[in-house]
Amino acid sequence: MTGAKKTAGAKKATAARKTEAEKPEAKKTAPVRKAPAAKKPLVAPRKATASVQAAPVKTVGEPVGDESRTALVRRARRINRELAEVFPYAHPELDFENPFQLVVATVLSAQTTDLRVNQTTPALFAKYPTPEDLAAANPEEVEEILRPTGFFRAKTKSVIGLSKVLAEDFGGEVPGRLEDLVKLPGVGRKTAFVVLGNAFGRPGITVDTHFQRLVRRWRWTGETDPDKIEAAVGALFPKSDWTDLSHHVIWHGRRICHARKPACGACPIAPLCPAYGEGETDPEKAKKLLKYEKGGLPGQRLKPPQAYLDAGGRPAPPLGAG
């Protein structure tokens, strides 16, 4: 009897131990059964997504702020490829026949339009065709020619001054190096890169007001200093792309992505733009905002390249016409 009792007691003890051993396991598995409840916060993004679909104009592109460096490079390069298809005939919109004319025209383009410069320079270069001629010019006569471009006294001082430096220090020739160009009166990095890229075929990024506005809208960079913008954007592209990239961005800024009211509804890169919706999104209304050849209007050059004319572009009228 005693042995049987011991055996029964042992069995009960074993059963009790098993019961106690199972209790912690039950506690451990309980959270697993509640796991679906822990996933409930994921419902919030779904609601946010629904609101994006309901009001795309205000929310398109917002996640771009969190994109990786690789994603930014890919998006930036895709935008450039898309613009290259839209503006295959993009070119510098200042009329020039040689490096000297280009550097002078670029200096004159400050605080005015390329169109106004193009309407003014024919008379200037007809009277002063070389650096030596302009260096020896009467400032008052030059001022009278340049009056339509605005700030004509300061511009007269710059173009006569740079002509003197070219004549005295560079044998009457425009230098093809950045470090030499920026020594010329009135010539900064922007002007230097315009000359290097378009007169000498050396890559450079032209950071004008259009370029600055668009690269910030596209969130390529948050910089506001032109030199820092140049460095930040240049790092996103191969050096060989820099000059054409400048043309594409500037042309898009002048024709479609305007400062005050972008034509978002007529924009070819709208799906890639974080700022979509800042302007007019209705396609028909947006079309009315397009400028130059995109809106059926003449371009800014009196003598544009043949490729531009072949694409349907029209030359600008001379000064005083119409």
Side-chain angles (χ1 to χ4, degrees):
M1 293 293 293
T2 302
K5 288 180 179 180
K6 288 181 179 180
T7 302
K11 289 181 178 179
K12 288 180 180 179
T14 302
R17 286 195 296 271
K18 288 183 178 180
T19 301
E20 290 299 317
E22 290 172 357
K23 286 181 180 179
E25 292 179 2
K27 289 180 181 178
K28 290 179 180 179
T29 55
V32 175
R33 296 189 189 99
K34 293 181 181 180
K39 293 181 179 179
K40 285 183 180 179
L42 293 178
V43 174
R46 294 193 188 103
K47 290 181 180 178
T49 302
S51 67
V52 168
Q53 294 173 349
V57 171
K58 295 182 180 180
T59 55
V60 167
E62 287 183 359
V64 173
D66 298 326
E67 70 182 340
S68 67
R69 174 73 179 180
T70 299
L72 170 60
V73 170
R74 289 175 177 171
R75 183 170 63 87
R77 294 185 182 185
R78 184 178 173 189
I79 286 175
N80 187 40
R81 290 195 299 271
E82 295 284 346
L83 293 181
E85 293 184 6
V86 177
F87 305 112
Y89 44 78
H91 56 267
E93 294 192 272
L94 288 169
D95 280 324
F96 69 98
E97 296 178 356
N98 54 56
F100 171 62
Q101 291 186 0
L102 180 57
V103 70
V104 169
T106 307
V107 169
L108 297 179
S109 68
Q111 305 298 316
T112 191
T113 64
D114 286 355
L115 171 58
R116 179 60 68 187
V117 174
N118 292 336
Q119 293 173 326
T120 305
T121 51
L124 179 70
F125 295 138
K127 191 167 186 178
Y128 311 106
T130 69
E132 291 82 0
D133 294 326
L134 191 51
N138 181 331
E140 292 183 357
E141 293 179 0
V142 176
E143 286 179 2
E144 193 58 33
I145 295 174
L146 300 184
R147 186 180 294 273
T149 68
F151 303 96
F152 58 92
R153 291 189 179 88
K155 292 179 180 180
T156 294
K157 184 178 179 180
S158 292
V159 297
I160 289 179
L162 72 84
S163 296
K164 287 181 178 179
V165 174
L166 291 176
E168 295 171 3
D169 298 344
F170 296 99
E173 299 292 333
V174 176
R177 299 194 311 165
L178 176 65
E179 54 268 37
D180 292 330
L181 284 168
V182 294
K183 294 177 183 177
L184 302 176
V187 176
R189 288 179 67 87
K190 185 194 82 170
T191 297
F193 281 130
V194 170
V195 175
L196 289 173
N198 299 291
F200 294 98
R202 296 174 183 173
I205 293 178
T206 303
V207 184
D208 72 350
T209 55
H210 301 287
F211 194 95
Q212 293 183 49
R213 181 178 74 252
L214 266 62
V215 298
R216 286 198 294 268
R217 273 183 179 169
W218 296 335
R219 298 186 193 172
W220 287 4
T221 178
E223 299 290 351
T224 57
D225 178 77
D227 290 350
K228 292 181 179 179
I229 291 174
E230 176 195 322
V233 174
L236 301 176
F237 295 89
K239 193 172 182 179
S240 58
D241 289 351
W242 289 356
T243 299
D244 285 340
L245 168 70
S246 299
H247 292 324
H248 298 154
V249 175
I250 293 170
W251 272 55
H252 188 63
R254 286 175 171 169
R255 286 153 173 76
I256 299 174
C257 195
H258 314 307
R260 295 183 180 178
K261 199 168 185 179
C264 294
C267 180
I269 59 166
L272 300 170
C273 181
Y276 175 82
E278 288 186 6
E280 180 58 65
T281 57
D282 179 84
E284 293 304 316
K285 293 180 180 179
K287 286 181 181 178
K288 296 178 181 179
L289 299 175
L290 300 179
K291 295 182 179 180
Y292 306 111
E293 77 285 343
K294 291 298 176 184
L297 305 173
Q300 300 204 67
R301 290 186 67 164
L302 278 69
K303 298 179 180 180
Q306 189 60 44
Y308 175 73
L309 298 175
D310 292 342
R314 290 191 291 157
L319 187 65

